[in-house]
Amino acid sequence: MTVYTAYFSFIMFVLLLLLINSYFLISLNVEKRKHKKIEKRKEEIKETFVSILEKKEANRVDEVNKLRDNFNRKTDIQAFHKAVREYYKSSDYKDELSQLLEEVVDINKIVKSGVVRKEYKESYALYLLSEFKMGNKETGDFALSSLDKKSLHIRNNALNVINKNNDLTIMMKAIDLIDSKEHYFNDKTIIDFLDNYKGDKDALDNDLYLNMNTYNTNLKKNIISHFINITDGTQKIKDRMLDYIQESSEKEIVISSTRYFNKIIDQRAVKYILNNMESEDWEVRATSARVICNYPGEQVIEKLKQTLKDENYYVRYNSAESFLKLVDEKAVIEEAVKNEDRFTRDILLYAMNTRGIITVEDYENLVIKSKEAENMEGVALI
């Protein structure tokens, strides 16, 4: 009986393997046929693009209607996406294609399609609209409504659609929604959203400048980062950053505006950065000590000699880095050898050692020689 059971189990195992193998073969064959169908439709759609945009044939209405039909089936939507992507890469008619897509793309049909599972449909629709580089009001309104969804993926895809929209009103409405803090947005996502706007960048920056005092601290900080990334320092923005360094009670804004002058050089900032090197907040002191190296001068060097003694390690380290940039190596070594403050000596030695300027052994030998020289001077005086 045991032998028969073993034979039966073996036969069932073999049958199961055959069924699994058959399933994978059938699935593979179905996928191949689907891929071929999509590729064929893709080429047909690209030919239609050429017909409308390049050849400008008389039957444009019929061709446009034919394109609209591509949103009735999920395989056609996939083919349409591929066709658009390839045509954008190879054609000189990119603007014309964007305008054509605004005529033919049906957002509701994409959302209702079965290309992806139900919970991903809106995100997929936004992804396609971003790929299609559509900037009409319908697309903008759809993306704005999506900024209120719980899904972070949907909200991020909505931002990618909005910053390709030429309507500045839609862009500013999106910024107001971000400011409301109803939902979380990553700092880098917000900065990229502002940096990559495809509309009138000067108009956007002007509106940001006019409104930024009304925004929450985090958004204001991200706008400053945006100004650091994309502007050469217009006078009014530099003036605003100077005001923040002097007057803002928000630590993050003081730090961000100080970093602004790390890239945008303005000599008016020197006295305020020097003042902030004595701030009660160590992060403000550390940032100021790092940025001040862009403004060489005796006053700056003397201030750095003081902050090399700071009780906070990061302030000392940033001061040492700036000191190394402003003073020649010989003078730095001399300061490290002769300075009586232990914090100053240690941080300068560490900074020089990490840069390969001096080894610990060489430093110790210099200290010994310095002490011997001092002793000899004392003997000579006696």
Side-chain angles (χ1 to χ4, degrees), residues 212-221 224 243-258 276 281 284:
M212 68 186 298
N213 282 339
T214 67
Y215 294 142
N216 68 64
T217 300
N218 196 63
L219 179 55
K220 198 186 300 182
K221 180 186 71 173
I224 294 172
D243 289 342
Y244 284 157
I245 290 180
Q246 298 174 70
E247 301 171 5
S248 179
S249 59
E250 300 169 300
K251 177 183 73 174
E252 291 184 344
I253 300 305
V254 173
I255 290 172
S256 295
S257 53
T258 301
N276 284 342
D281 189 281
V284 173

Side-chain angles (χ1 to χ4, degrees), residues 156-191:
N156 286 344
N157 279 355
L159 292 179
N160 289 334
V161 173
I162 291 168
N163 71 359
K164 292 180 175 65
N165 196 298
N166 292 325
D167 189 340
L168 184 59
T169 304
I170 290 173
M171 184 72 174
M172 296 309 295
K173 284 181 179 178
I175 292 169
D176 287 340
L177 286 170
I178 293 170
D179 180 57
S180 71
K181 299 185 80 172
E182 291 292 326
H183 298 286
Y184 168 77
F185 290 93
N186 177 269
D187 286 345
K188 187 178 185 308
T189 299
I190 297 173
I191 296 166

